[in-house]
Amino acid sequence: MFGGFRLTIGDTSITNKIQQAKKPWNILEYLVYYHNREIPSDELVGIIWSDDNNVNPTNALKTLIFRTRKLLDPFNLPTQQLISQNRGSYCWNPEVSLTLDTSEFEELCRQSNQAGLAEEEQLKLLTQALELYKGDFLPKSSWEPWVIPVSRHYHSLFVHSAMQAVELLSKNEEWDSIVKLCRHAVTVEAHNEDFQYHLIYALYCSGHQRQALEQYRIMVNSFYNEFAITPSERMTDLYKMIQDREHGVNMDLSLIQKSMQEDQALLGAYFCEFTVFRDIYQLERRAIARTGDSIFLGLLTLSGEGGGLPKSSILARAMGHLGNAAASSLRHGDVYTRYSVSQYMLLLPSASYENGEMVMQRIIRNYKKAYLRKDIVVHYSLQALSPIEAQA
């Protein structure tokens, strides 16, 4: 029942992956999950037709049970023996024993939390449990009222158990196992920053620096565009630590230069992660203390007409267009970053505030040419960088 419904007897399986009528599958899933008890007809009617007062429940349920039994035809068994009826109640025939992945998962999690259990045995039980969790409970029926609380229960148990396993693996620095576990975990809960953090950190510790940085970028884009979440300071500090990793000794300066070159041809201004942008900002402040030049910090912010955040899907599209407008409107030597779910920040080496305003307005014009929604508003602000004062 994790990741999709599949019922297997012998060498034969049936699954609801093929697009078919939902109600017969819903009845079958309910009878299988609650296979240890008889289900009154009224309960099944409430599950299927809770909001429909125009249904004749007795006849409708009989028809639906018939259609549900038809789903079991591939087993070549008397379907009335698989789904039995008794005094106005229906149930899965108790003489046909069922083993559910949900029950096995919960039992393994329970066993893993027994007092006095050795960590090695606890990790073994947790690993077995997590391998059973192929995805959330009955995802194709996820909006059925009876499924929602059950799915939340198993999802929470998975998250808790996965974090227990990560902590145990971290003690022994089993980085490859953490990578495998966290890759699975982020497919279940992509917006869980703990799983993302441990995945990136384990990739880094196992010597896969480039993969760690790529996973960070995937995570950031997902957080911004799908969940409207800004990565925490802990996550950005991890990114900076990976970026600042000490390189091996190399006496060939041409090879060092080659390793630092951009992978792509220059197509616009330089986009970087916020941690890198912050370092460049600090360098510029130090430079203007010596040169006296003026550099402006610009901030572009998207909002709905009422001032709040638009829907995440609309905001993601709008931010994509705004980022493209910034890249094409700035010079190759200019730097910009994404500061939050709805903001970009940039550095403008301009001679005056008026020049900075012209640049910001050019970005907004180019954005509006590409994205015509009138219910999204772009605000901007500018501020001159203050130089760092040298201390004696």
Side-chain angles (χ1 to χ4, degrees):
M1 307 188 94
F2 288 133
F5 183 81
R6 179 183 295 274
L7 178 62
T8 302
I9 299 177
D11 296 328
T12 304
S13 296
I14 61 172
T15 176
N16 66 345
K17 286 185 178 180
I18 301 173
Q19 190 62 38
Q20 293 173 311
K22 293 182 179 179
K23 289 179 181 178
W25 283 106
N26 194 14
I27 285 286
L28 181 59
E29 290 164 353
Y30 195 81
L31 291 172
V32 166
Y33 184 69
Y34 293 105
H35 65 282
N36 289 322
R37 68 182 181 89
E38 293 186 348
I39 314 295
S41 298
D42 291 346
E43 185 175 332
L44 290 175
V45 169
I47 290 295
I48 301 298
W49 296 288
S50 58
D51 299 326
D52 193 343
N53 297 321
N54 298 320
V55 171
N56 182 325
T58 303
N59 292 335
L61 184 59
K62 286 181 179 178
T63 301
L64 187 56
I65 291 294
F66 173 80
R67 293 169 61 198
T68 302
R69 283 175 171 149
K70 292 292 288 182
L71 299 176
L72 303 172
D73 282 347
F75 295 126
N76 293 319
L77 296 169
T79 56
Q80 288 189 336
Q81 291 182 20
L82 295 177
I83 297 178
S84 56
Q85 182 179 6
N86 183 30
R87 298 190 304 274
S89 296
Y90 294 91
C91 69
W92 182 267
N93 187 344
E95 295 182 4
V96 181
S97 62
L98 279 177
T99 301
L100 272 61
D101 55 356
T102 53
S103 301
E104 289 188 351
F105 170 75
E106 194 153 26
E107 176 60 18
L108 286 166
C109 291
R110 186 195 66 78
Q111 291 178 17
S112 72
N113 285 296
Q114 290 178 324
L117 198 65
E119 288 188 353
E120 184 179 350
E121 183 63 24
Q122 183 185 20
L123 182 58
K124 179 181 176 182
L125 291 167
L126 287 169
T127 301
Q128 290 173 353
L130 297 171
E131 287 175 351
L132 286 172
Y133 201 95
K134 306 299 185 185
D136 283 334
F137 177 78
L138 297 179
K140 294 194 75 171
S141 302
S142 60
W143 296 111
E144 296 291 341
W146 75 270
V147 171
I148 293 171
V150 179
S151 181
R152 285 175 179 167
H153 165 69
Y154 290 123
H155 185 97
S156 297
L157 189 54
F158 169 80
V159 170
H160 176 72
S161 300
M163 283 308 305
Q164 282 184 300
V166 167
E167 290 170 5
L168 291 171
L169 290 167
S170 296
K171 284 185 178 181
N172 298 320
E173 298 185 355
E174 297 182 45
W175 306 120
D176 289 339
S177 296
I178 294 174
V179 168
K180 181 181 177 181
L181 170 56
C182 287
R183 284 200 188 282
H184 173 46
V186 298
T187 64
V188 174
E189 190 169 316
H191 65 277
N192 186 306
E193 192 179 274
D194 286 333
F195 290 142
Q196 295 281 4
Y197 182 92
H198 286 291
L199 172 56
I200 295 166
Y201 185 69
L203 284 168
Y204 164 68
C205 289
S206 58
H208 300 99
Q209 183 188 14
R210 285 187 175 273
Q211 289 184 35
L213 294 173
E214 180 60 25
Q215 181 61 36
Y216 177 87
R217 295 185 184 103
I218 292 170
M219 179 273 301
V220 167
N221 289 335
S222 175
F223 275 26
Y224 282 141
N225 297 330
E226 296 179 41
F227 309 113
I229 300 172
T230 301
S232 69
E233 186 174 352
R234 174 184 72 154
M235 190 64 85
T236 56
D237 286 345
L238 174 61
Y239 175 82
K240 190 175 188 307
M241 181 188 75
I242 298 172
Q243 282 280 55
D244 292 346
R245 181 179 129 177
E246 184 178 350
H247 297 280
V249 176
N250 191 339
M251 301 300 291
D252 190 333
L253 193 56
S254 62
L255 289 177
I256 295 173
Q257 282 204 63
K258 186 175 181 180
S259 71
M260 294 191 296
Q261 289 175 2
E262 293 184 75
D263 295 331
Q264 300 176 347
L266 290 173
L267 298 175
Y270 179 68
F271 176 82
C272 59
E273 301 297 334
F274 175 71
T275 52
V276 178
F277 184 90
R278 185 172 55 194
D279 287 342
I280 296 172
Y281 169 85
Q282 296 293 346
L283 286 171
E284 294 290 2
R285 288 188 67 200
R286 288 170 177 264
I288 60 177
R290 176 176 54 84
T291 64
D293 294 338
S294 62
I295 298 178
F296 285 85
L297 183 68
L299 184 67
L300 291 159
T301 304
L302 288 179
S303 70
E305 288 181 312
L309 283 179
K311 291 181 180 179
S312 58
S313 58
I314 296 173
L315 181 60
R317 196 174 300 115
M319 285 295 285
H321 285 292
L322 185 57
N324 291 337
S328 61
S329 303
L330 296 170
R331 297 168 298 185
H332 285 173
D334 293 336
V335 181
Y336 72 109
T337 189
R338 188 160 181 172
Y339 180 66
S340 74
V341 294
S342 62
Q343 293 176 302
Y344 284 102
M345 196 152 50
L346 42 112
L347 286 172
L348 300 174
S350 303
S352 66
Y353 182 87
E354 290 73 20
N355 287 344
E357 275 199 318
M358 289 172 59
V359 174
M360 301 297 275
Q361 290 167 4
R362 181 167 66 244
I363 294 172
I364 294 172
R365 282 198 306 272
N366 289 335
Y367 160 79
K368 288 181 177 179
K369 287 179 185 177
Y371 197 54
L372 303 176
R373 287 191 73 107
K374 295 182 179 179
D375 55 346
I376 306 292
V377 182
V378 187
H379 311 273
Y380 76 85
S381 56
L382 275 174
Q383 191 173 90
L385 265 66
S386 56
I388 294 178
E389 296 182 6
Q391 295 182 356

